[in-house]
Each structure stands twice: as structure tokens, then as C-alpha cells.
Amino acid sequence: MYADIVIIGGGASGYSSAISAKKTNPSADVVIVEKLSRTGKKIIATGNGKCNLSNISITEKNYHGSLNTVKIINNTPDWYELFERELGVMCVQGSEGRSGGIYPHSNSSSTVVNAFRLKIGNLGIKEVCDFEVKSIDGIDGYYIIKSYDKQIISRKIIIATGGYASPSFGTDGGMLRIFRERGYKISKICPAVSPLKVSSESLKGLKGVRVKGEISAISDGKTLRTERGEIQFNENNISGVCVFNLAYLFQKYGEKLSLYIDLLPEMDFESVFEYIKNIKKDRAECSIDELLTGIFVRNMAVYLMKNTLRRTMTDKIKSLTDGEIRGLVRRIKGLNFDVSGCASWQNAQATCGGIHGDCVTENLESRLETGIYFCGEVLDTVGDCGGYNLQWAWSSGLWAGKKCAESLKGGRND
Ligand SMILES: Cc1cc2nc3c(=O)[nH]c(=O)nc-3n(C[C@H](O)[C@H](O)[C@H](O)COP(=O)(O)OP(=O)(O)OC[C@H]3O[C@@H](n4cnc5c(N)ncnc54)[C@H](O)[C@@H]3O)c2cc1C
């Protein structure tokens, strides 16, 4: 089999790159090869099945890595042009999750996949499934792409194989290993948009507790990033969207990272102190495990008392000193956990690290091998939770597809 352009990986960036390539050069044969039995499987799982496909606010701060991500996003059609105008997917700004998230109006990710597949079929782009690429050999300006007993010959290749996150959707980092062997610089890989591990000992009594608060990632006394939102305590990790947005920091700081949680960020230290002193007056004869009832859920209230005061819980509230209450407020405003690891790939939504920006041109073409382009999560860029990773996948795919097809127009190895 021969194709002018072979796109390896039938996920988010594979879809958009195929459409962009075919529209740029309608006479080109464009083929998507996919390892799984169907394309688009991961997209179906996104946004809890609702697909948070973009965000109304895209800034440099939302992306981390060695690529000029936002420049590429700004150079390509935005979510409105791509989904509403090109694909006919009616979109809405979601009421759930991060503010500014864009979702399909149907509230179903399958709407997005169906619209892509319809467009791909209408444009005459072929899909070849159950084709796991195991090797790529360059010979005389052509590439031989092999999968076990099958092969395809092509002039140009777009690598859209994703990273390591959620391997059950076909993304086990296999292609990154192939490119590492070919001499590409791969930035340190680590799970992102994922929980952060802390010791189960430090979480004793908190399993299943959810709070609203402010969480900061700190290393060597320096605050790296602060997020507000719901924080969930599990057996050996802390999760929630605001924690997901800190997880990429593990790549650089590893176990030097600590998490500080302010459980009452809307109040300053003295206001919390006065508030608790008033409670002390009202509940003077109650046992101290009732001091924080009404402020926190029971397990959190008991956790705070037990881990701060050297008391038996049956002591009377009236016996608490101002010094003890101040100690308690310090804990409420700065609940501290040392990060002991990152999540497993199964529990990660994205990959931090990948093909380094130094290895690709502004057109996302390889600087090492002419005619090979990259897009999506395989590249060294990761976005925050809230539609940023899919936006990068769509945009980098559109850009790589366009540039790849343009180079085909100009000659074999243009
Ligand atoms: C559970 C979950 C929920 C998420 N929710 C959101 C969300 O709501 N919003 C958001 O912005 N992001 C979300 N993400 C992240 C987002 O889905 C990814 O960043 C995005 O899909 C990456 O697109 P991609 O094209 O680079 O790779 P993928 O979409 O991962 O596609 C890569 C494809 O390549 C195929 N492949 C891999 N290796 C080979 C090979 N050797 N040969 C052939 N094919 C191969 C894979 O089978 C796969 O189909 C979520 C991720 C997960 C796991």
C-alpha cells in the first residue's frame, strides 16, 4: 500500500491533522493508521464522557514544556471555526468543571468523534485500524512503515501517537521509545493532569474527605503555583482538578515538592482565630473534638484536632489556650503534605515531557529527518485541566497537517 501522507495514531491530533492535510492538498492520498480496532477511543473517555474540547481563555500560563504552544494555537482555527463551522458540532460553555471549558452541546464526547469520522469519510481519508507501527525506515525519500506482517510506503509521516497516559487507550509511549532510539531528545517523562502521591500515614483518617480550599505547590520554601477548588483525599494520594494542575511540577521538583492547603482561604489568620474563639465561648462545656463541628466535615475536624493538639478528645473546649487555638489555625491555613511520588499512568490524563522542542521546526517538522511531522501529546508540551490538552492536540494537528501537505505540493523532499 502507498500513501502520500500517513498519519500514525487515530486520536485527537491524528483526526485534525488528517483533515487539515487533505484540505490543504486535496489530491494527496491521506491515510490514518491506528493501533486499536477503532480510532478516537480516548476522545470518547474525555471530560467524563462529555469532552471538554477547549477553553475560552488560552494563555501561555496554561501550557508547560519546550514548545511555542500558544503561537501554534493562535495560528490555527479556534474551537468555533473547527467544531461549529467545519465539523458542525454545536458547542456550549460548560457549567461544570473549570470555568471557561467548551463542551459539545449534546454533552456527549461521541458527538465529537462521530463528526470527525463523518468529515474524514467525506474527504476520502482512509482509516486502517489494528495497525500498530513497530518501525519506520527511510529509503530514497520514502518511508516504509511496518506493523508486524503489514507495511505502508509513504512520502510524509505525521506522528500523532500521544504519550504514556492512560495506556488502555493505545498510548503506552511505544513511539517515543522508537524516536529516542533514532537519536531524538526526549524531555523527562512524568504523568500529568493526575493526582499526587503522599504517604498513607499522613492521610490517616482523611480517606474520602473532600474540601474546598487553596492548594500551593512549594519547593525549597518557594511557592511554585497556587490553585483553588475542590481537593479530595484518598488512601495514598490527593486529587481534584486543582491538584491535577500541579502534577506536572513533579517532573522538575520530584519529591522535593510539598503541598500546602489553606482550608479557609477566604479568611485571614486573625479572622479564623476570632471565629474559633467565639465557638470556644459557645461550646465551652463540649469535648474538644466538637470545636470545629460546623466548619469542616467530621473526619477533617477530628484530623485537624488530633494532629495539632496534644490532648485527649474528651477534654473540655474551655480548657483550650489561645496558644493552642493559634496552633490549630496555623494548621487550618497550612495543612502540609510532602509529595512522595506521582500517579500511575493509568490514573493520568496527560504526559509531561515528550519530543523536545529543539527537535522540530516551527512547522512541527523533524529537524533530524525530512518529511516527519509531530503533533499532540507526543510533543513536549502539556496543558492544564480544562480543555487545554485537547486544544493543543487539535491545533498542533491542524498545523502539522497543513505544513506537511504544503511541503508535498512543493516536491518530494521540499
Ligand atoms: C480519561 C481522560 C480524560 C481526558 N479528558 C480531557 C478533557 O476533557 N479535555 C482535554 O483537553 N483533555 C483531556 N484528556 C487529555 C486528552 O485526551 C489528550 O491530551 C489528547 O487526546 C491527546 O491527543 P493525541 O492525538 O496526542 O493522542 P491520543 O488522543 O492519545 O491518540 C493517540 C492514538 O495513537 C494510537 N497509537 C499509539 N501508538 C501507536 C502506534 N505505534 N501505531 C499506531 N497507532 C498508535 C493510539 O492507539 C491512540 O489512538 C483526557 C485524557 C484522559 C486519559
Side-chain angles (χ1 to χ4, degrees), residues 7-15 33-36 38-43 45-54 103 131-134 159-163 165-167 169-175 178 193 345-346 348-351 375-379 384-394 396:
I7 292 150
I8 306 180
S13 65
Y15 278 164
V33 297
E34 166 56 45
K35 167 180 172 177
L36 302 179
R38 271 182 77 95
T39 59
K41 280 197 175 182
K42 189 185 280 178
I43 301 172
T46 59
N48 283 327
K50 294 176 184 168
C51 188
N52 183 184
L53 56 87
S54 182
Y103 293 80
F131 191 109
E132 178 180 0
V133 174
K134 300 300 278 182
I159 308 292
T161 45
S166 280
F169 297 113
T171 40
D172 62 0
M175 198 52 77
I178 289 177
V193 191
W345 286 114
Q346 281 79 6
Q349 291 189 12
T351 309
C375 54
E377 210 177 297
V378 75
L379 285 162
D384 290 341
C385 195
Y388 297 99
N389 284 300
L390 280 174
Q391 182 59 65
W392 166 244
W394 317 129
S396 56

